[in-house]
PDB file of all heavy atoms in Angstrom:
ATOM      1  N   PHE B 143      -4.704  -8.731  -7.942  1.00  0.00           N
ATOM      2  CA  PHE B 143      -5.322  -7.513  -7.412  1.00  0.00           C
ATOM      3  C   PHE B 143      -6.198  -6.913  -8.488  1.00  0.00           C
ATOM      4  O   PHE B 143      -5.753  -6.094  -9.292  1.00  0.00           O
ATOM      5  CB  PHE B 143      -4.252  -6.498  -6.983  1.00  0.00           C
ATOM      6  CG  PHE B 143      -4.832  -5.244  -6.375  1.00  0.00           C
ATOM      7  CD1 PHE B 143      -5.243  -5.212  -5.045  1.00  0.00           C
ATOM      8  CD2 PHE B 143      -4.995  -4.089  -7.127  1.00  0.00           C
ATOM      9  CE1 PHE B 143      -5.780  -4.059  -4.488  1.00  0.00           C
ATOM     10  CE2 PHE B 143      -5.532  -2.931  -6.574  1.00  0.00           C
ATOM     11  CZ  PHE B 143      -5.920  -2.925  -5.250  1.00  0.00           C
ATOM     12  N   GLY B 144      -7.439  -7.340  -8.514  1.00  0.00           N
ATOM     13  CA  GLY B 144      -8.373  -6.772  -9.466  1.00  0.00           C
ATOM     14  C   GLY B 144      -9.324  -5.877  -8.705  1.00  0.00           C
ATOM     15  O   GLY B 144     -10.174  -6.343  -7.965  1.00  0.00           O
ATOM     16  N   SER B 145      -9.176  -4.571  -8.862  1.00  0.00           N
ATOM     17  CA  SER B 145      -9.997  -3.647  -8.087  1.00  0.00           C
ATOM     18  C   SER B 145     -10.261  -2.394  -8.903  1.00  0.00           C
ATOM     19  O   SER B 145      -9.763  -1.325  -8.610  1.00  0.00           O
ATOM     20  CB  SER B 145      -9.283  -3.305  -6.774  1.00  0.00           C
ATOM     21  OG  SER B 145      -9.964  -2.256  -6.106  1.00  0.00           O
ATOM     22  N   LEU B 146     -11.023  -2.567  -9.980  1.00  0.00           N
ATOM     23  CA  LEU B 146     -11.403  -1.425 -10.806  1.00  0.00           C
ATOM     24  C   LEU B 146     -12.733  -0.891 -10.328  1.00  0.00           C
ATOM     25  O   LEU B 146     -13.686  -1.661 -10.164  1.00  0.00           O
ATOM     26  CB  LEU B 146     -11.610  -1.874 -12.253  1.00  0.00           C
ATOM     27  CG  LEU B 146     -10.408  -2.096 -13.150  1.00  0.00           C
ATOM     28  CD1 LEU B 146     -10.898  -2.418 -14.553  1.00  0.00           C
ATOM     29  CD2 LEU B 146      -9.516  -0.869 -13.172  1.00  0.00           C
ATOM     30  N   ASN B 147     -12.836   0.426 -10.141  1.00  0.00           N
ATOM     31  CA  ASN B 147     -14.160   0.935  -9.827  1.00  0.00           C
ATOM     32  C   ASN B 147     -14.913   1.239 -11.127  1.00  0.00           C
ATOM     33  O   ASN B 147     -14.373   1.086 -12.227  1.00  0.00           O
ATOM     34  CB  ASN B 147     -14.088   2.133  -8.869  1.00  0.00           C
ATOM     35  CG  ASN B 147     -13.440   3.344  -9.491  1.00  0.00           C
ATOM     36  OD1 ASN B 147     -13.478   3.534 -10.709  1.00  0.00           O
ATOM     37  ND2 ASN B 147     -12.835   4.174  -8.659  1.00  0.00           N
ATOM     38  N   LEU B 148     -16.165   1.639 -10.968  1.00  0.00           N
ATOM     39  CA  LEU B 148     -17.029   1.816 -12.135  1.00  0.00           C
ATOM     40  C   LEU B 148     -16.437   2.815 -13.130  1.00  0.00           C
ATOM     41  O   LEU B 148     -16.311   2.541 -14.323  1.00  0.00           O
ATOM     42  CB  LEU B 148     -18.422   2.257 -11.655  1.00  0.00           C
ATOM     43  CG  LEU B 148     -19.459   2.549 -12.741  1.00  0.00           C
ATOM     44  CD1 LEU B 148     -19.690   1.336 -13.623  1.00  0.00           C
ATOM     45  CD2 LEU B 148     -20.786   2.981 -12.088  1.00  0.00           C
ATOM     46  N   ALA B 149     -16.052   4.000 -12.620  1.00  0.00           N
ATOM     47  CA  ALA B 149     -15.553   5.036 -13.540  1.00  0.00           C
ATOM     48  C   ALA B 149     -14.250   4.612 -14.200  1.00  0.00           C
ATOM     49  O   ALA B 149     -13.977   4.977 -15.351  1.00  0.00           O
ATOM     50  CB  ALA B 149     -15.356   6.354 -12.785  1.00  0.00           C
ATOM     51  N   GLN B 150     -13.446   3.844 -13.493  1.00  0.00           N
ATOM     52  CA  GLN B 150     -12.184   3.385 -14.084  1.00  0.00           C
ATOM     53  C   GLN B 150     -12.439   2.385 -15.206  1.00  0.00           C
ATOM     54  O   GLN B 150     -11.780   2.407 -16.239  1.00  0.00           O
ATOM     55  CB  GLN B 150     -11.288   2.766 -13.008  1.00  0.00           C
ATOM     56  CG  GLN B 150     -10.690   3.815 -12.082  1.00  0.00           C
ATOM     57  CD  GLN B 150      -9.956   3.197 -10.911  1.00  0.00           C
ATOM     58  OE1 GLN B 150     -10.252   2.072 -10.507  1.00  0.00           O
ATOM     59  NE2 GLN B 150      -9.022   3.937 -10.350  1.00  0.00           N
ATOM     60  N   ALA B 151     -13.414   1.493 -14.979  1.00  0.00           N
ATOM     61  CA  ALA B 151     -13.762   0.547 -16.040  1.00  0.00           C
ATOM     62  C   ALA B 151     -14.294   1.308 -17.250  1.00  0.00           C
ATOM     63  O   ALA B 151     -13.931   1.022 -18.397  1.00  0.00           O
ATOM     64  CB  ALA B 151     -14.789  -0.460 -15.530  1.00  0.00           C
ATOM     65  N   VAL B 152     -15.123   2.313 -16.991  1.00  0.00           N
ATOM     66  CA  VAL B 152     -15.670   3.104 -18.103  1.00  0.00           C
ATOM     67  C   VAL B 152     -14.559   3.836 -18.845  1.00  0.00           C
ATOM     68  O   VAL B 152     -14.529   3.865 -20.084  1.00  0.00           O
ATOM     69  CB  VAL B 152     -16.739   4.103 -17.586  1.00  0.00           C
ATOM     70  CG1 VAL B 152     -17.112   5.106 -18.672  1.00  0.00           C
ATOM     71  CG2 VAL B 152     -17.970   3.355 -17.096  1.00  0.00           C
ATOM     72  N   ILE B 153     -13.605   4.410 -18.096  1.00  0.00           N
ATOM     73  CA  ILE B 153     -12.587   5.220 -18.782  1.00  0.00           C
ATOM     74  C   ILE B 153     -11.685   4.348 -19.644  1.00  0.00           C
ATOM     75  O   ILE B 153     -11.268   4.756 -20.737  1.00  0.00           O
ATOM     76  CB  ILE B 153     -11.769   6.098 -17.797  1.00  0.00           C
ATOM     77  CG1 ILE B 153     -11.235   7.327 -18.543  1.00  0.00           C
ATOM     78  CG2 ILE B 153     -10.604   5.345 -17.156  1.00  0.00           C
ATOM     79  CD1 ILE B 153     -10.642   8.393 -17.649  1.00  0.00           C
ATOM     80  N   LEU B 154     -11.386   3.141 -19.190  1.00  0.00           N
ATOM     81  CA  LEU B 154     -10.527   2.278 -20.002  1.00  0.00           C
ATOM     82  C   LEU B 154     -11.228   1.882 -21.303  1.00  0.00           C
ATOM     83  O   LEU B 154     -10.624   1.855 -22.374  1.00  0.00           O
ATOM     84  CB  LEU B 154     -10.121   1.034 -19.205  1.00  0.00           C
ATOM     85  CG  LEU B 154      -9.169   1.315 -18.032  1.00  0.00           C
ATOM     86  CD1 LEU B 154      -8.945   0.045 -17.214  1.00  0.00           C
ATOM     87  CD2 LEU B 154      -7.840   1.864 -18.528  1.00  0.00           C
ATOM     88  N   VAL B 155     -12.517   1.606 -21.198  1.00  0.00           N
ATOM     89  CA  VAL B 155     -13.277   1.226 -22.391  1.00  0.00           C
ATOM     90  C   VAL B 155     -13.414   2.429 -23.330  1.00  0.00           C
ATOM     91  O   VAL B 155     -13.229   2.316 -24.549  1.00  0.00           O
ATOM     92  CB  VAL B 155     -14.653   0.660 -21.980  1.00  0.00           C
ATOM     93  CG1 VAL B 155     -15.560   0.521 -23.188  1.00  0.00           C
ATOM     94  CG2 VAL B 155     -14.472  -0.689 -21.279  1.00  0.00           C
ATOM     95  N   ALA B 156     -13.682   3.605 -22.757  1.00  0.00           N
ATOM     96  CA  ALA B 156     -13.809   4.814 -23.575  1.00  0.00           C
ATOM     97  C   ALA B 156     -12.483   5.164 -24.239  1.00  0.00           C
ATOM     98  O   ALA B 156     -12.427   5.542 -25.412  1.00  0.00           O
ATOM     99  CB  ALA B 156     -14.292   5.983 -22.707  1.00  0.00           C
ATOM    100  N   TYR B 157     -11.414   5.014 -23.484  1.00  0.00           N
ATOM    101  CA  TYR B 157     -10.073   5.296 -24.009  1.00  0.00           C
ATOM    102  C   TYR B 157      -9.772   4.386 -25.195  1.00  0.00           C
ATOM    103  O   TYR B 157      -9.279   4.836 -26.231  1.00  0.00           O
ATOM    104  CB  TYR B 157      -9.053   5.088 -22.899  1.00  0.00           C
ATOM    105  CG  TYR B 157      -7.616   5.042 -23.343  1.00  0.00           C
ATOM    106  CD1 TYR B 157      -6.918   6.201 -23.663  1.00  0.00           C
ATOM    107  CD2 TYR B 157      -6.943   3.823 -23.435  1.00  0.00           C
ATOM    108  CE1 TYR B 157      -5.597   6.152 -24.073  1.00  0.00           C
ATOM    109  CE2 TYR B 157      -5.616   3.768 -23.834  1.00  0.00           C
ATOM    110  CZ  TYR B 157      -4.947   4.923 -24.150  1.00  0.00           C
ATOM    111  OH  TYR B 157      -3.644   4.873 -24.556  1.00  0.00           O
ATOM    112  N   GLU B 158     -10.065   3.113 -25.058  1.00  0.00           N
ATOM    113  CA  GLU B 158      -9.784   2.171 -26.148  1.00  0.00           C
ATOM    114  C   GLU B 158     -10.622   2.505 -27.385  1.00  0.00           C
ATOM    115  O   GLU B 158     -10.141   2.406 -28.509  1.00  0.00           O
ATOM    116  CB  GLU B 158     -10.062   0.729 -25.720  1.00  0.00           C
ATOM    117  CG  GLU B 158      -8.926   0.077 -24.993  1.00  0.00           C
ATOM    118  CD  GLU B 158      -7.707  -0.209 -25.878  1.00  0.00           C
ATOM    119  OE1 GLU B 158      -7.700   0.125 -27.071  1.00  0.00           O
ATOM    120  OE2 GLU B 158      -6.750  -0.769 -25.335  1.00  0.00           O
ATOM    121  N   TRP B 159     -11.863   2.874 -27.142  1.00  0.00           N
ATOM    122  CA  TRP B 159     -12.703   3.229 -28.289  1.00  0.00           C
ATOM    123  C   TRP B 159     -12.101   4.434 -29.014  1.00  0.00           C
ATOM    124  O   TRP B 159     -11.944   4.456 -30.232  1.00  0.00           O
ATOM    125  CB  TRP B 159     -14.132   3.530 -27.839  1.00  0.00           C
ATOM    126  CG  TRP B 159     -14.965   3.999 -28.995  1.00  0.00           C
ATOM    127  CD1 TRP B 159     -15.539   3.223 -29.958  1.00  0.00           C
ATOM    128  CD2 TRP B 159     -15.245   5.340 -29.333  1.00  0.00           C
ATOM    129  NE1 TRP B 159     -16.159   4.004 -30.878  1.00  0.00           N
ATOM    130  CE2 TRP B 159     -16.006   5.312 -30.522  1.00  0.00           C
ATOM    131  CE3 TRP B 159     -14.938   6.569 -28.761  1.00  0.00           C
ATOM    132  CZ2 TRP B 159     -16.460   6.471 -31.134  1.00  0.00           C
ATOM    133  CZ3 TRP B 159     -15.378   7.726 -29.373  1.00  0.00           C
ATOM    134  CH2 TRP B 159     -16.142   7.671 -30.544  1.00  0.00           C
ATOM    135  N   SER B 160     -11.722   5.455 -28.240  1.00  0.00           N
ATOM    136  CA  SER B 160     -11.164   6.677 -28.796  1.00  0.00           C
ATOM    137  C   SER B 160      -9.843   6.401 -29.507  1.00  0.00           C
ATOM    138  O   SER B 160      -9.542   6.967 -30.564  1.00  0.00           O
ATOM    139  CB  SER B 160     -10.961   7.670 -27.650  1.00  0.00           C
ATOM    140  OG  SER B 160     -10.034   8.659 -27.985  1.00  0.00           O
ATOM    141  N   ARG B 161      -9.058   5.501 -28.924  1.00  0.00           N
ATOM    142  CA  ARG B 161      -7.760   5.145 -29.458  1.00  0.00           C
ATOM    143  C   ARG B 161      -7.896   4.536 -30.851  1.00  0.00           C
ATOM    144  O   ARG B 161      -7.076   4.783 -31.725  1.00  0.00           O
ATOM    145  CB  ARG B 161      -7.166   4.108 -28.516  1.00  0.00           C
ATOM    146  CG  ARG B 161      -5.722   3.889 -28.622  1.00  0.00           C
ATOM    147  CD  ARG B 161      -5.324   3.012 -27.439  1.00  0.00           C
ATOM    148  NE  ARG B 161      -3.934   2.682 -27.576  1.00  0.00           N
ATOM    149  CZ  ARG B 161      -3.493   1.666 -28.299  1.00  0.00           C
ATOM    150  NH1 ARG B 161      -4.345   0.874 -28.896  1.00  0.00           N
ATOM    151  NH2 ARG B 161      -2.214   1.444 -28.406  1.00  0.00           N
ATOM    152  N   GLY B 162      -8.944   3.758 -31.022  1.00  0.00           N
ATOM    153  CA  GLY B 162      -9.123   3.090 -32.309  1.00  0.00           C
ATOM    154  C   GLY B 162      -9.814   3.954 -33.342  1.00  0.00           C
ATOM    155  O   GLY B 162      -9.933   3.575 -34.497  1.00  0.00           O
ATOM    156  N   ARG B 163     -10.267   5.111 -32.936  1.00  0.00           N
ATOM    157  CA  ARG B 163     -11.023   5.949 -33.855  1.00  0.00           C
ATOM    158  C   ARG B 163     -10.067   6.730 -34.731  1.00  0.00           C
ATOM    159  O   ARG B 163      -8.991   7.132 -34.288  1.00  0.00           O
ATOM    160  CB  ARG B 163     -11.879   6.918 -33.039  1.00  0.00           C
ATOM    161  CG  ARG B 163     -12.859   7.699 -33.864  1.00  0.00           C
ATOM    162  CD  ARG B 163     -13.889   8.319 -32.969  1.00  0.00           C
ATOM    163  NE  ARG B 163     -13.301   9.315 -32.098  1.00  0.00           N
ATOM    164  CZ  ARG B 163     -13.962  10.368 -31.655  1.00  0.00           C
ATOM    165  NH1 ARG B 163     -15.215  10.541 -31.974  1.00  0.00           N
ATOM    166  NH2 ARG B 163     -13.387  11.231 -30.860  1.00  0.00           N
ATOM    167  N   GLY B 164     -10.464   6.958 -35.956  1.00  0.00           N
ATOM    168  CA  GLY B 164      -9.583   7.693 -36.852  1.00  0.00           C
ATOM    169  C   GLY B 164      -9.194   9.047 -36.294  1.00  0.00           C
ATOM    170  O   GLY B 164      -8.082   9.516 -36.484  1.00  0.00           O
ATOM    171  N   LEU B 165     -10.114   9.648 -35.568  1.00  0.00           N
ATOM    172  CA  LEU B 165      -9.882  11.015 -35.087  1.00  0.00           C
ATOM    173  C   LEU B 165      -8.868  11.064 -33.964  1.00  0.00           C
ATOM    174  O   LEU B 165      -8.205  12.061 -33.761  1.00  0.00           O
ATOM    175  CB  LEU B 165     -11.200  11.622 -34.598  1.00  0.00           C
ATOM    176  CG  LEU B 165     -12.338  11.601 -35.612  1.00  0.00           C
ATOM    177  CD1 LEU B 165     -13.614  12.113 -34.960  1.00  0.00           C
ATOM    178  CD2 LEU B 165     -11.979  12.441 -36.824  1.00  0.00           C
ATOM    179  N   ALA B 166      -8.794   9.975 -33.224  1.00  0.00           N
ATOM    180  CA  ALA B 166      -7.904   9.996 -32.058  1.00  0.00           C
ATOM    181  C   ALA B 166      -6.477   9.740 -32.503  1.00  0.00           C
ATOM    182  O   ALA B 166      -5.941   8.678 -32.312  1.00  0.00           O
ATOM    183  CB  ALA B 166      -8.349   8.964 -31.034  1.00  0.00           C
ATOM    184  N   GLN B 167      -5.892  10.707 -33.131  1.00  0.00           N
ATOM    185  CA  GLN B 167      -4.507  10.586 -33.542  1.00  0.00           C
ATOM    186  C   GLN B 167      -3.623  10.928 -32.367  1.00  0.00           C
ATOM    187  O   GLN B 167      -3.988  11.730 -31.536  1.00  0.00           O
ATOM    188  CB  GLN B 167      -4.220  11.567 -34.675  1.00  0.00           C
ATOM    189  CG  GLN B 167      -4.934  11.226 -35.957  1.00  0.00           C
ATOM    190  CD  GLN B 167      -4.527   9.866 -36.494  1.00  0.00           C
ATOM    191  OE1 GLN B 167      -3.385   9.459 -36.354  1.00  0.00           O
ATOM    192  NE2 GLN B 167      -5.466   9.146 -37.078  1.00  0.00           N
TER     193      GLN B 167
END
Side-chain angles (χ1 to χ4, degrees):
Chain B
F143 182 81
S145 171
L146 281 185
N147 67 27
L148 178 59
Q150 287 172 335
V152 169
I153 206 169
L154 291 174
V155 169
Y157 167 77
E158 276 291 2
W159 175 79
S160 159
R161 197 170 175 275
R163 189 164 66 150
L165 305 175
Q167 292 299 326

